[in-house]
Amino acid sequence: MPADRKLDKQTIEDAFDAIAEMASQRGIVLDMAVYGGSCLVLASDIRAASEDVDAVYLNHQEQARKIVDSVTRRKRLPDGWMNQAAKQFAPPRGNPQPHLLQFQDYPRDGSALGLRIFTPAPEYLLAMKVLANRAPDDDKNLTDSTDAVALMKLTGINTYEKIVDLMEQCYPNIPGIVLPTVSGRMSAKIKGLVDEYNGANSASPTWIAGRGRPLAP
């Protein structure tokens, strides 16, 4: 598989099946939460493909890493196709935490369970897109904005005030974001997204995964 090839839903789920098979052979069930573009590929029609899979290993971390490395080689996937870069913005279980909902069990053929995939609420994904702080010349800025506007349509969180409230819920412990006051950078970004939303005329996307509050109690 070429290093620059994007991962579509079939490629991602085929890899999940392979991970699940190896895990079940070892007598374990892996739990993983999927975020970012890969979550949008799996759980909605916002994206057709993603450059990588942003995952957080919720259990058996060391074995999960070894199994993912093995599947990467066996299926000739790009190095880093699955990574935990999102972990710094996805709080672990506790308070606060993203509202994780079970998405799918793998393998999909009904054989011994080896992998459970969880996804956050779309509201939490929106908060992550708003929080993203890429360099001004990073090409992914445009993709982040497009994703954010689609998630605004999906969730109805489409005003400056609603987005600030969402950020307070999802990231109350990161100073300089919206607490104690909205930072200048964050304020400009939110206003820009609201302007993009108001100027967009695309249809509202579909969400096929579980729904819930942005944060779990």
Side-chain angles (χ1 to χ4, degrees):
M1 177 176 176
D4 59 350
R5 177 181 164 187
K6 290 192 174 184
L7 306 169
D8 59 17
K9 186 174 183 178
Q10 179 176 334
T11 301
I12 294 171
E13 292 203 291
D14 285 348
F16 286 171
D17 283 337
I19 290 170
E21 289 164 5
M22 291 192 68
S24 65
Q25 289 168 4
R26 298 186 184 196
I28 60 174
V29 176
L30 299 176
D31 289 340
M32 296 183 184
V34 175
Y35 298 88
S38 53
C39 179
L40 296 179
V41 171
L42 293 170
S44 75
D45 56 2
I46 294 174
R47 291 266 206 107
S50 176
E51 292 184 1
D52 54 15
V53 173
D54 297 312
V56 174
Y57 306 156
L58 301 175
N59 64 354
H60 303 297
Q61 285 86 359
E62 185 59 32
Q63 293 190 70
R65 282 190 288 269
K66 291 178 179 178
I67 290 171
V68 169
D69 286 346
S70 180
V71 169
T72 299
R73 294 190 298 270
R74 193 173 82 188
K75 298 187 76 67
R76 297 182 179 180
L77 293 163
D79 290 339
W81 73 274
M82 179 180 281
N83 61 77
Q84 295 198 78
K87 191 172 183 178
Q88 60 183 318
F89 302 121
R93 294 181 179 184
N95 186 24
Q97 68 169 346
H99 188 110
L100 293 176
L101 300 168
Q102 192 164 345
F103 171 71
Q104 176 73 45
D105 291 344
Y106 296 88
R108 290 167 293 170
D109 62 8
S111 56
L113 175 66
L115 174 65
R116 288 187 290 246
I117 293 294
F118 296 81
T119 57
E123 290 83 358
Y124 193 82
L125 283 178
L126 173 57
M128 293 183 76
K129 289 293 181 181
V130 176
L131 185 65
N133 185 23
R134 303 187 190 278
D137 59 348
D138 192 325
D139 292 340
K140 290 185 178 180
N141 279 319
L142 178 58
T143 303
D144 282 341
S145 295
T146 302
D147 290 344
V149 169
L151 287 164
M152 290 165 70
K153 286 179 174 290
L154 182 66
T155 62
I157 300 175
N158 51 20
T159 67
Y160 182 91
E161 293 76 16
K162 288 180 179 179
I163 294 175
V164 169
D165 181 64
L166 175 69
M167 300 305 288
E168 288 181 359
Q169 292 183 62
C170 294
Y171 296 106
N173 299 324
I174 302 181
I177 301 300
V178 294
L179 296 172
T181 59
V182 185
S183 71
R185 182 195 67 80
M186 183 58 61
S187 180
K189 184 167 187 177
I190 294 172
K191 289 177 180 176
L193 288 173
V194 172
D195 287 344
E196 287 187 47
Y197 171 87
N198 290 331
N201 55 13
S202 56
S204 295
T206 300
W207 185 260
I208 63 172
R211 294 297 300 268
R213 294 175 57 244
L215 300 181

